[in-house]
Amino acid sequence: THNQQTQKMSNVANDKIVDVDEAATDDQETEPTGPPEEPSSKAPAIDEPVQNRGLTGAEIWNLTNALLAWACTVSNVTLVVGTSAVILIDIGGDTNLTSLPLGTFFFGSSIVSLAVTPWLFVQWGRTYGFLLGVGLGLVGTCLGLACIAAQSPALLTLSMIFFGMAMGVGFFLRFAAMELVPPHWRAKAATLVVTGGVIAAFAGPESAQGMKDALDKEWMGVFLMTGIFNVCNAIFTLLISFPDQSVLLNPKPSISLKTGDDETRLHNHKEQDRIAFRQILKSRQFLV
């Protein structure tokens, strides 16, 4: 009996030891082996604004007025380019010089693009810059009216220079249009503004035909029509809300450009561009 009781006590002790070992094993299995996980600091996902959004009402308004201003600019081009040779002959010009007004037109456009527009929009901004172009066009209108009144081919040739300068400024509208819309709309904006030329393809020639004999002297109505297009161009330009040019054209320099070495390198690069440009102007191929 004593041996039986001793055996029972031994079995109970062994059972308790087994229970303790199993509990320790369970604790080890549930205890994390790695470092404790930190609570996630990631913010819950928030719906980001759609990047390819449509245009707002203000952007559509600006783009529409830019398109109409472009149409007025191109209408003047079609008016004077399409009639200048005929007008030259009618006011007593030599038939061998019929291409002279067209040549001076593009000469004026080249001069303003080279000497004026690089600083014009930086110093004056988009609105005043385009209004200057309209002013140049109005000078061409006055000279054109004077050339018909005086029957002077010289005044006609001079007026074409100013019309060309007006075109050189006005044709920057296609680039300014890209500033009126979000980045993903820029290519479309430039395309839409240039499609204003479709309006000009009808408005220019039809107005020339309709205004040819509208006044006492033939062709005077054509130059009067250029003045009307210029005034409309100014109105549409004033209706456009261009962004601040101090931010677009003079961005805040990065830290890397503040060092002397980077400033020197940038200056040398610009000087090399100027030298290369002067060499192009002096080259035989360019002169030919």
Side-chain angles (χ1 to χ4, degrees), residues 58-225:
E59 291 167 345
I60 294 175
W61 171 260
N62 289 331
L63 203 57
T64 301
N65 286 304
L67 184 151
L68 294 174
W70 175 271
C72 291
T73 300
V74 181
S75 294
N76 273 342
V77 173
T78 58
L79 270 172
V80 298
V81 169
T83 60
S84 60
V86 180
I87 293 175
L88 179 69
I89 296 174
D90 284 354
I91 62 177
D94 192 340
T95 55
N96 294 324
L97 299 177
T98 52
S99 62
L100 181 61
L102 187 61
T104 55
F105 176 86
F106 286 106
F107 174 75
S109 175
S110 302
I111 288 298
V112 78
S113 299
L114 177 64
V116 178
T117 51
W119 59 264
L120 174 64
F121 295 113
V122 177
Q123 299 295 330
W124 289 17
R126 295 298 191 200
T127 301
Y128 292 115
F130 288 123
L131 289 179
L132 175 63
V134 171
L136 293 171
L138 288 173
V139 173
T141 297
C142 295
L143 291 173
L145 292 171
C147 87
I148 299 297
Q151 297 291 292
S152 172
L155 286 177
L156 173 65
T157 304
L158 183 61
S159 70
M160 295 297 290
I161 295 178
F162 284 92
F163 282 124
M165 294 172 71
M167 185 195 76
V169 176
F171 270 27
F172 273 81
L173 268 168
R174 65 188 185 274
F175 303 119
M178 295 188 290
E179 303 169 357
L180 303 174
V181 295
H184 64 277
W185 255 91
R186 288 176 180 172
K188 295 179 181 178
T191 303
L192 286 173
V193 169
V194 173
T195 56
V198 177
I199 300 175
F202 294 95
E206 290 299 322
S207 61
Q209 182 65 29
M211 295 294 291
K212 175 185 175 183
D213 301 316
L215 300 179
D216 294 338
K217 291 190 176 182
E218 190 179 16
W219 301 111
M220 187 172 284
V222 171
F223 289 106
L224 179 63
M225 199 64 207

Side-chain angles (χ1 to χ4, degrees), residues 12 101 135 150 176 250 257 268 273:
V12 170
N250 297 308
L257 292 179
N268 293 336
D273 287 342

